[in-house]
mmCIF file of all heavy atoms in Angstrom:
data_model
loop_
_atom_site.group_PDB
_atom_site.id
_atom_site.type_symbol
_atom_site.label_atom_id
_atom_site.label_comp_id
_atom_site.label_asym_id
_atom_site.label_seq_id
_atom_site.Cartn_x
_atom_site.Cartn_y
_atom_site.Cartn_z
ATOM 1 N N PHE A 1 28.515 -64.298 78.393
ATOM 2 C CA PHE A 1 29.146 -63.096 77.838
ATOM 3 C C PHE A 1 29.461 -62.148 78.921
ATOM 4 O O PHE A 1 28.467 -61.545 79.556
ATOM 5 C CB PHE A 1 28.288 -62.483 76.723
ATOM 6 C CG PHE A 1 28.900 -61.170 76.161
ATOM 7 C CD1 PHE A 1 30.070 -61.215 75.370
ATOM 8 C CD2 PHE A 1 28.342 -59.990 76.346
ATOM 9 C CE1 PHE A 1 30.613 -60.127 74.880
ATOM 10 C CE2 PHE A 1 28.867 -58.760 75.855
ATOM 11 C CZ PHE A 1 30.081 -58.861 75.117
ATOM 12 N N LYS A 2 30.796 -61.955 79.216
ATOM 13 C CA LYS A 2 31.156 -61.033 80.364
ATOM 14 C C LYS A 2 30.505 -61.323 81.669
ATOM 15 O O LYS A 2 30.111 -60.390 82.385
ATOM 16 C CB LYS A 2 30.836 -59.619 79.893
ATOM 17 C CG LYS A 2 31.718 -59.101 78.753
ATOM 18 C CD LYS A 2 31.518 -57.634 78.492
ATOM 19 C CE LYS A 2 32.421 -57.104 77.321
ATOM 20 N NZ LYS A 2 32.464 -55.652 77.095
ATOM 21 N N GLY A 3 30.323 -62.650 81.921
ATOM 22 C CA GLY A 3 29.799 -63.118 83.156
ATOM 23 C C GLY A 3 28.342 -63.212 83.220
ATOM 24 O O GLY A 3 27.686 -63.601 84.198
ATOM 25 N N VAL A 4 27.599 -62.867 82.093
ATOM 26 C CA VAL A 4 26.176 -62.852 81.992
ATOM 27 C C VAL A 4 25.711 -64.137 81.196
ATOM 28 O O VAL A 4 26.175 -64.381 80.162
ATOM 29 C CB VAL A 4 25.581 -61.614 81.356
ATOM 30 C CG1 VAL A 4 24.082 -61.714 81.189
ATOM 31 C CG2 VAL A 4 26.009 -60.406 82.030
ATOM 32 N N GLU A 5 24.814 -64.900 81.928
ATOM 33 C CA GLU A 5 24.345 -66.144 81.235
ATOM 34 C C GLU A 5 23.439 -65.809 80.040
ATOM 35 O O GLU A 5 22.456 -64.895 80.219
ATOM 36 C CB GLU A 5 23.627 -66.918 82.167
ATOM 37 C CG GLU A 5 23.084 -68.295 81.584
ATOM 38 C CD GLU A 5 22.405 -69.121 82.617
ATOM 39 O OE1 GLU A 5 22.202 -68.733 83.772
ATOM 40 O OE2 GLU A 5 21.797 -70.258 82.220
ATOM 41 N N LEU A 6 23.693 -66.372 78.919
ATOM 42 C CA LEU A 6 22.926 -66.137 77.693
ATOM 43 C C LEU A 6 21.706 -67.105 77.567
ATOM 44 O O LEU A 6 21.928 -68.258 77.912
ATOM 45 C CB LEU A 6 23.787 -66.118 76.456
ATOM 46 C CG LEU A 6 24.981 -65.152 76.429
ATOM 47 C CD1 LEU A 6 25.820 -65.311 75.180
ATOM 48 C CD2 LEU A 6 24.455 -63.749 76.451
ATOM 49 N N ILE A 7 20.600 -66.603 76.999
ATOM 50 C CA ILE A 7 19.460 -67.404 76.783
ATOM 51 C C ILE A 7 19.008 -67.204 75.351
ATOM 52 O O ILE A 7 19.372 -66.202 74.690
ATOM 53 C CB ILE A 7 18.310 -67.056 77.733
ATOM 54 C CG1 ILE A 7 17.857 -65.657 77.624
ATOM 55 C CG2 ILE A 7 18.735 -67.396 79.222
ATOM 56 C CD1 ILE A 7 16.654 -65.261 78.347
ATOM 57 N N LYS A 8 18.048 -68.021 74.874
ATOM 58 C CA LYS A 8 17.452 -67.875 73.641
ATOM 59 C C LYS A 8 16.142 -67.057 73.778
ATOM 60 O O LYS A 8 15.422 -67.518 74.758
ATOM 61 C CB LYS A 8 17.274 -69.195 72.914
ATOM 62 C CG LYS A 8 18.562 -69.770 72.349
ATOM 63 C CD LYS A 8 18.270 -71.047 71.527
ATOM 64 C CE LYS A 8 19.469 -71.638 70.851
ATOM 65 N NZ LYS A 8 20.173 -70.680 69.948
ATOM 66 N N ASN A 9 15.825 -66.248 72.903
ATOM 67 C CA ASN A 9 14.622 -65.463 73.033
ATOM 68 C C ASN A 9 14.039 -65.272 71.612
ATOM 69 O O ASN A 9 14.547 -64.396 70.785
ATOM 70 C CB ASN A 9 14.892 -64.080 73.753
ATOM 71 C CG ASN A 9 13.553 -63.397 73.980
ATOM 72 O OD1 ASN A 9 12.519 -63.749 73.483
ATOM 73 N ND2 ASN A 9 13.706 -62.308 74.847
ATOM 74 N N SER A 10 13.058 -66.027 71.298
ATOM 75 C CA SER A 10 12.516 -65.923 69.902
ATOM 76 C C SER A 10 11.796 -64.645 69.570
ATOM 77 O O SER A 10 11.606 -64.339 68.454
ATOM 78 C CB SER A 10 11.545 -67.164 69.637
ATOM 79 O OG SER A 10 10.506 -67.075 70.626
ATOM 80 N N LYS A 11 11.461 -63.868 70.594
ATOM 81 C CA LYS A 11 10.772 -62.588 70.387
ATOM 82 C C LYS A 11 11.748 -61.645 69.781
ATOM 83 O O LYS A 11 11.370 -60.551 69.230
ATOM 84 C CB LYS A 11 10.177 -62.136 71.652
ATOM 85 C CG LYS A 11 9.012 -63.015 72.137
ATOM 86 C CD LYS A 11 8.396 -62.354 73.434
ATOM 87 C CE LYS A 11 7.242 -63.225 73.920
ATOM 88 N NZ LYS A 11 6.673 -62.672 75.148
ATOM 89 N N VAL A 12 13.090 -61.734 70.066
ATOM 90 C CA VAL A 12 14.077 -60.741 69.554
ATOM 91 C C VAL A 12 14.326 -61.098 68.119
ATOM 92 O O VAL A 12 14.801 -62.207 67.746
ATOM 93 C CB VAL A 12 15.349 -60.786 70.403
ATOM 94 C CG1 VAL A 12 16.394 -59.858 69.875
ATOM 95 C CG2 VAL A 12 14.979 -60.545 71.838
ATOM 96 N N LYS A 13 14.134 -60.156 67.151
ATOM 97 C CA LYS A 13 14.389 -60.424 65.716
ATOM 98 C C LYS A 13 15.801 -60.280 65.443
ATOM 99 O O LYS A 13 16.491 -59.205 65.815
ATOM 100 C CB LYS A 13 13.586 -59.397 64.902
ATOM 101 C CG LYS A 13 12.062 -59.336 65.164
ATOM 102 C CD LYS A 13 11.494 -60.678 64.739
ATOM 103 C CE LYS A 13 9.896 -60.684 65.031
ATOM 104 N NZ LYS A 13 9.315 -61.953 64.613
ATOM 105 N N THR A 14 16.416 -61.301 64.775
ATOM 106 C CA THR A 14 17.855 -61.263 64.561
ATOM 107 C C THR A 14 18.015 -60.588 63.139
ATOM 108 O O THR A 14 17.317 -60.824 62.165
ATOM 109 C CB THR A 14 18.329 -62.678 64.340
ATOM 110 O OG1 THR A 14 18.044 -63.386 65.569
ATOM 111 C CG2 THR A 14 19.831 -62.672 64.015
ATOM 112 N N ILE A 15 18.973 -59.637 63.089
ATOM 113 C CA ILE A 15 19.365 -58.846 61.865
ATOM 114 C C ILE A 15 20.052 -59.890 60.944
ATOM 115 O O ILE A 15 21.073 -60.456 61.354
ATOM 116 C CB ILE A 15 20.201 -57.665 62.168
ATOM 117 C CG1 ILE A 15 19.424 -56.804 63.128
ATOM 118 C CG2 ILE A 15 20.551 -56.923 60.843
ATOM 119 C CD1 ILE A 15 20.260 -55.481 63.579
ATOM 120 N N ARG A 16 19.527 -60.000 59.763
ATOM 121 C CA ARG A 16 20.170 -60.987 58.828
ATOM 122 C C ARG A 16 21.499 -60.306 58.234
ATOM 123 O O ARG A 16 21.394 -59.312 57.621
ATOM 124 C CB ARG A 16 19.179 -61.282 57.675
ATOM 125 C CG ARG A 16 18.087 -62.086 58.061
ATOM 126 C CD ARG A 16 16.914 -61.965 57.127
ATOM 127 N NE ARG A 16 16.236 -60.697 57.330
ATOM 128 C CZ ARG A 16 15.185 -60.266 56.563
ATOM 129 N NH1 ARG A 16 14.693 -61.051 55.575
ATOM 130 N NH2 ARG A 16 14.578 -59.148 56.731
ATOM 131 N N ARG A 17 22.592 -60.871 58.706
ATOM 132 C CA ARG A 17 23.905 -60.298 58.394
ATOM 133 C C ARG A 17 24.165 -60.073 56.901
ATOM 134 O O ARG A 17 24.605 -59.016 56.503
ATOM 135 C CB ARG A 17 25.024 -61.153 59.046
ATOM 136 C CG ARG A 17 26.412 -60.667 58.808
ATOM 137 C CD ARG A 17 27.362 -61.507 59.593
ATOM 138 N NE ARG A 17 27.362 -62.835 59.206
ATOM 139 C CZ ARG A 17 28.148 -63.427 58.209
ATOM 140 N NH1 ARG A 17 28.943 -62.689 57.582
ATOM 141 N NH2 ARG A 17 28.055 -64.651 57.901
ATOM 142 N N GLY A 18 23.851 -61.169 56.100
ATOM 143 C CA GLY A 18 24.114 -60.890 54.667
ATOM 144 C C GLY A 18 23.321 -59.912 54.074
ATOM 145 O O GLY A 18 23.786 -59.020 53.313
ATOM 146 N N GLN A 19 22.038 -59.853 54.357
ATOM 147 C CA GLN A 19 21.177 -58.799 53.861
ATOM 148 C C GLN A 19 21.533 -57.465 54.335
ATOM 149 O O GLN A 19 21.477 -56.446 53.592
ATOM 150 C CB GLN A 19 19.722 -59.110 54.127
ATOM 151 C CG GLN A 19 18.721 -58.291 53.471
ATOM 152 C CD GLN A 19 17.224 -58.537 53.878
ATOM 153 O OE1 GLN A 19 17.028 -59.610 54.543
ATOM 154 N NE2 GLN A 19 16.307 -57.824 53.393
ATOM 155 N N PHE A 20 21.945 -57.316 55.544
ATOM 156 C CA PHE A 20 22.348 -56.025 56.145
ATOM 157 C C PHE A 20 23.603 -55.502 55.464
ATOM 158 O O PHE A 20 23.503 -54.325 54.957
ATOM 159 C CB PHE A 20 22.708 -56.213 57.602
ATOM 160 C CG PHE A 20 23.291 -55.085 58.277
ATOM 161 C CD1 PHE A 20 22.492 -53.851 58.449
ATOM 162 C CD2 PHE A 20 24.511 -55.051 58.805
ATOM 163 C CE1 PHE A 20 22.999 -52.780 59.073
ATOM 164 C CE2 PHE A 20 25.127 -53.939 59.462
ATOM 165 C CZ PHE A 20 24.322 -52.792 59.609
ATOM 166 N N TYR A 21 24.590 -56.268 55.182
ATOM 167 C CA TYR A 21 25.771 -55.827 54.486
ATOM 168 C C TYR A 21 25.478 -55.560 53.074
ATOM 169 O O TYR A 21 26.098 -54.645 52.470
ATOM 170 C CB TYR A 21 27.024 -56.740 54.663
ATOM 171 C CG TYR A 21 27.685 -56.621 56.084
ATOM 172 C CD1 TYR A 21 27.672 -57.674 56.886
ATOM 173 C CD2 TYR A 21 28.211 -55.430 56.401
ATOM 174 C CE1 TYR A 21 28.349 -57.623 58.185
ATOM 175 C CE2 TYR A 21 28.719 -55.315 57.704
ATOM 176 C CZ TYR A 21 28.865 -56.410 58.576
ATOM 177 O OH TYR A 21 29.540 -56.273 59.806
ATOM 178 N N ALA A 22 24.694 -56.333 52.397
ATOM 179 C CA ALA A 22 24.320 -56.088 51.034
ATOM 180 C C ALA A 22 23.562 -54.838 50.901
ATOM 181 O O ALA A 22 23.823 -54.095 49.827
ATOM 182 C CB ALA A 22 23.498 -57.344 50.575
ATOM 183 N N SER A 23 22.759 -54.509 51.825
ATOM 184 C CA SER A 23 22.001 -53.290 51.798
ATOM 185 C C SER A 23 22.918 -52.046 51.959
ATOM 186 O O SER A 23 22.817 -50.991 51.273
ATOM 187 C CB SER A 23 20.889 -53.288 52.815
ATOM 188 O OG SER A 23 20.251 -52.067 52.860
ATOM 189 N N LEU A 24 23.884 -52.122 52.924
ATOM 190 C CA LEU A 24 24.833 -51.115 53.171
ATOM 191 C C LEU A 24 25.686 -50.938 51.847
ATOM 192 O O LEU A 24 25.882 -49.743 51.415
ATOM 193 C CB LEU A 24 25.710 -51.447 54.251
ATOM 194 C CG LEU A 24 25.388 -50.991 55.763
ATOM 195 C CD1 LEU A 24 26.419 -51.525 56.702
ATOM 196 C CD2 LEU A 24 25.196 -49.482 55.826
ATOM 197 N N LYS A 25 26.117 -51.956 51.265
ATOM 198 C CA LYS A 25 26.978 -51.873 50.054
ATOM 199 C C LYS A 25 26.165 -51.156 48.939
ATOM 200 O O LYS A 25 26.709 -50.278 48.253
ATOM 201 C CB LYS A 25 27.385 -53.310 49.602
ATOM 202 C CG LYS A 25 27.996 -53.328 48.274
ATOM 203 C CD LYS A 25 28.269 -54.789 47.782
ATOM 204 C CE LYS A 25 28.606 -54.854 46.285
ATOM 205 N NZ LYS A 25 27.598 -54.426 45.383
ATOM 206 N N SER A 26 24.931 -51.633 48.762
ATOM 207 C CA SER A 26 24.085 -51.058 47.692
ATOM 208 C C SER A 26 23.785 -49.581 47.848
ATOM 209 O O SER A 26 23.836 -48.810 46.965
ATOM 210 C CB SER A 26 22.870 -51.870 47.480
ATOM 211 O OG SER A 26 22.037 -51.383 46.550
ATOM 212 N N ASN A 27 23.446 -49.286 49.098
ATOM 213 C CA ASN A 27 23.039 -47.841 49.327
ATOM 214 C C ASN A 27 24.229 -46.913 49.267
ATOM 215 O O ASN A 27 24.175 -45.779 48.913
ATOM 216 C CB ASN A 27 22.400 -47.816 50.765
ATOM 217 C CG ASN A 27 21.017 -48.420 50.720
ATOM 218 O OD1 ASN A 27 20.282 -48.270 49.776
ATOM 219 N ND2 ASN A 27 20.606 -49.107 51.859
ATOM 220 N N ILE A 28 25.415 -47.330 49.773
ATOM 221 C CA ILE A 28 26.569 -46.573 49.645
ATOM 222 C C ILE A 28 27.037 -46.243 48.214
ATOM 223 O O ILE A 28 27.321 -45.207 47.750
ATOM 224 C CB ILE A 28 27.812 -47.081 50.405
ATOM 225 C CG1 ILE A 28 27.525 -47.055 51.937
ATOM 226 C CG2 ILE A 28 29.075 -46.379 50.117
ATOM 227 C CD1 ILE A 28 28.520 -47.675 52.772
ATOM 228 N N GLU A 29 26.869 -47.331 47.357
ATOM 229 C CA GLU A 29 27.171 -47.242 45.952
ATOM 230 C C GLU A 29 26.131 -46.208 45.321
ATOM 231 O O GLU A 29 26.569 -45.359 44.514
ATOM 232 C CB GLU A 29 27.016 -48.535 45.245
ATOM 233 C CG GLU A 29 28.224 -49.478 45.476
ATOM 234 C CD GLU A 29 28.081 -50.760 44.749
ATOM 235 O OE1 GLU A 29 26.994 -51.311 44.636
ATOM 236 O OE2 GLU A 29 29.123 -51.258 44.404
ATOM 237 N N ASN A 30 24.862 -46.293 45.666
ATOM 238 C CA ASN A 30 23.855 -45.460 45.034
ATOM 239 C C ASN A 30 23.964 -44.027 45.483
ATOM 240 O O ASN A 30 23.817 -43.061 44.776
ATOM 241 C CB ASN A 30 22.465 -45.992 45.380
ATOM 242 C CG ASN A 30 22.139 -47.296 44.796
ATOM 243 O OD1 ASN A 30 22.783 -47.745 43.672
ATOM 244 N ND2 ASN A 30 21.266 -48.112 45.357
#
């Protein structure tokens, strides 16, 4: 990515995309 070699790092928590957008949708509605 932009000349930087990417690696896997299990210590970094991945934000769950579906849950993230579902939470945004629900909270904006509320």
Side-chain angles (χ1 to χ4, degrees):
F1 177 66
K2 296 188 176 183
V4 178
E5 182 181 357
L6 299 176
I7 61 173
K8 289 188 177 294
N9 189 344
S10 59
K11 294 182 180 180
V12 179
K13 303 296 182 181
T14 304
I15 301 173
R16 290 158 287 178
R17 181 171 58 89
Q19 187 178 357
F20 174 66
Y21 281 121
S23 178
L24 270 178
K25 169 187 172 295
S26 175
N27 289 320
I28 290 177
E29 285 180 327
N30 294 335

